[in-house]
Amino acid sequence: LPRVLSGIQPTADSFHLGNYLGALKQWVALQDDHDAFYCVVDLHAITVEQDPATLRRRTLVSAAQLLALGVDPDRSALFVQSHVPEHAQLGWVLQCMTGFGEASRMTQFKDKSQRQGTTGTSVGLFTYPVLQAADILLYQAQRVPVGEDQRQHLELTRDLATRFNNRFGPTFTLPEAYIPPGAAKVLDLQMPDKKMSKSLPPAGCVNLLDDPKVTAKKIRSAVTDTGREVVADPAGKPGVTNLLTIHAALSGQTVPQLEEHFAGRGYGDLKKELAEVVTDALAPVQARTAELLADTAELERVLAAGAARAREVAAPTLAAVYDRVGFLPAG
Ligand code: ATP
Ligand code: MG
């Protein structure tokens, strides 16, 4: 089976619709015909300001949401990144093969470093795409289901793999980004020029675990565009287009079908119906997440088994890398 790897940061108390439609929906679907490795990337979460107790809670809540969304631990290895030390170890080797200018071109870094307030920007935030490359290459993954915002990081990963292979001999599989055609970039409801993000203000971000009333309010308050027709037009009507895209991805209808459905009706109708579509889709996920968090022993067992499986694949890759770069065997 082809191998797939992806990760998500435990940087909030809930994932959001962008995470789900851009990435996690594909995580679940790919399990059917792939050997899947999915991780909660806590090493990445400390690249920005964080609090230890909060991080611990969010890591568990993240794992619970992934299971609730349909990640199946019998078919996929679900694990926490810090439980597999090979990630940090390979990350270091790859950092030593990354150009400073190359890393400086990453647009996510430019965005996030601008937003880092009181503590300033860490070197870890700067090198995080290189650690992400290690996450992927350790598992020899062929496919990486991610949202559009990760395309540039996947290119960097491929460049680093190619560079290592050319210099030290064939070691890494070249991965491909697996980006969904529809909702690869869900936009913030308040700032439809930005992607929905865990690290932006909550008003424009529809969280999977939000109370249905909160969800309805966020959708009702979404910034729409001038005019009154419910039609998709990414340049002229980014807000309305975003709402239509979310509706289509969750309801299974196409955007043209929805345009016809809303012909002669206004933005208010679209928002009202979308709120129902979203809250209906999220209700079972919320219930299952709560169940899993009521007794975390089972969750911890799943994560331990996932880490053990991950290490079976990660350890031989790291051993080959250490040998090829010339590290003396530990004996
Ligand atoms: P943070 O703000 O902490 O970076 P995030 O919302 O960007 O959080 P990540 O954990 O960085 O979430 O990303 C997890 C996955 O979700 C990645 O595959 C990413 O491409 C995808 N993703 C994130 N935001 C969106 C979005 N708005 N639309 C589509 N996919 C998204
Ligand atoms: Mg992100």
Side-chain angles (χ1 to χ4, degrees):
L1 289 182
R3 181 79 53 74
V4 43
L5 172 291
S6 198
I8 187 156
Q9 305 193 62
T11 37
D13 285 310
S14 172
F15 299 144
H16 55 72
L17 281 181
N19 298 137
Y20 176 57
L21 299 175
L24 304 178
K25 209 174 155 188
Q26 284 63 243
W27 289 24
V28 174
L30 285 167
Q31 300 179 109
D32 293 339
D33 44 12
H34 287 74
D35 183 24
F37 289 80
Y38 295 134
C39 56
V40 178
V41 290
D42 53 349
L43 299 179
H44 291 286
I46 67 166
T47 55
V48 293
E49 269 185 85
Q50 59 94 18
D51 165 72
T54 305
L55 178 59
R56 227 169 268 127
R57 181 184 74 237
R58 288 175 171 175
T59 302
L60 275 179
V61 176
S62 296
Q65 284 173 93
L66 293 173
L67 293 173
L69 286 167
V71 169
D72 172 5
D74 291 330
R75 291 184 290 163
S76 306
L78 175 66
F79 62 99
V80 174
Q81 186 188 26
S82 65
H83 294 177
V84 182
E86 285 82 0
H87 289 251
Q89 292 173 296
L90 179 60
W92 175 254
V93 174
L94 294 180
Q95 279 185 58
C96 297
M97 301 187 63
T98 309
F100 191 85
E102 193 175 30
S104 309
R105 284 195 291 277
M106 297 297 122
T107 55
Q108 287 261 324
F109 172 73
K110 291 184 204 168
D111 282 357
K112 281 199 180 174
S113 55
Q114 268 174 8
R115 281 195 247 132
Q116 272 305 296
T118 54
T119 55
T121 300
S122 73
V123 175
L125 186 66
F126 182 63
T127 59
Y128 117 79
V130 184
L131 178 59
Q132 189 180 324
D135 300 338
I136 297 164
L137 298 177
L138 267 181
Y139 299 92
Q140 310 288 358
Q142 280 125 305
R143 298 210 173 109
V144 186
V146 285
E148 182 62 45
D149 63 300
Q150 293 298 321
R151 193 183 285 281
Q152 192 187 30
H153 292 166
L154 258 294
E155 278 311 309
L156 175 70
T157 304
R158 290 169 62 87
D159 289 346
L160 291 172
T162 305
R163 191 171 305 156
F164 191 100
N165 290 348
N166 288 343
R167 171 124 190 250
F168 298 110
T171 306
F172 294 125
T173 302
L174 289 202
E176 266 169 38
Y178 184 88
I179 298 176
K185 187 174 180 185
V186 175
L187 304 176
D188 186 275
L189 299 190
Q190 288 299 319
M191 295 175 275
D193 58 326
K194 295 193 166 59
K195 83 165 190 79
M196 193 177 275
S197 198
K198 295 193 224 92
S199 45
L200 285 178
C205 181
V206 178
N207 293 312
L208 304 190
L209 302 183
D210 277 345
D211 185 89
K213 287 202 189 78
V214 173
T215 301
K217 178 157 194 279
K218 286 178 180 176
I219 293 175
R220 203 164 52 236
S221 324
V223 168
T224 39
D225 315 287
T226 53
R228 48 180 58 196
E229 258 187 298
V230 178
V231 290
D233 170 8
K237 288 174 174 259
V240 170
T241 307
N242 190 41
L243 299 180
L244 284 168
T245 306
I246 296 170
H247 191 313
L250 289 174
S251 67
Q253 300 178 67
T254 64
V255 170
Q257 279 169 343
L258 290 172
E259 288 173 335
E260 195 172 319
H261 173 67
F262 287 108
R265 297 157 67 192
Y267 297 157
D269 285 354
L270 168 63
K271 288 175 170 180
K272 195 156 168 269
E273 187 175 306
L274 179 61
E276 277 167 29
V277 167
V278 172
T279 50
D280 285 355
L282 296 183
V285 177
Q286 297 186 354
R288 183 73 189 122
T289 302
E291 255 171 51
L292 286 159
L293 289 171
D295 174 16
T296 57
E298 166 67 6
L299 208 50
E300 280 157 20
R301 193 195 58 75
V302 163
L303 293 174
R309 251 175 89 191
R311 288 200 80 177
E312 283 170 20
V313 179
T317 306
L318 185 77
V321 167
Y322 269 28
D323 180 55
R324 287 182 191 159
V325 301
F327 291 157
L328 189 68

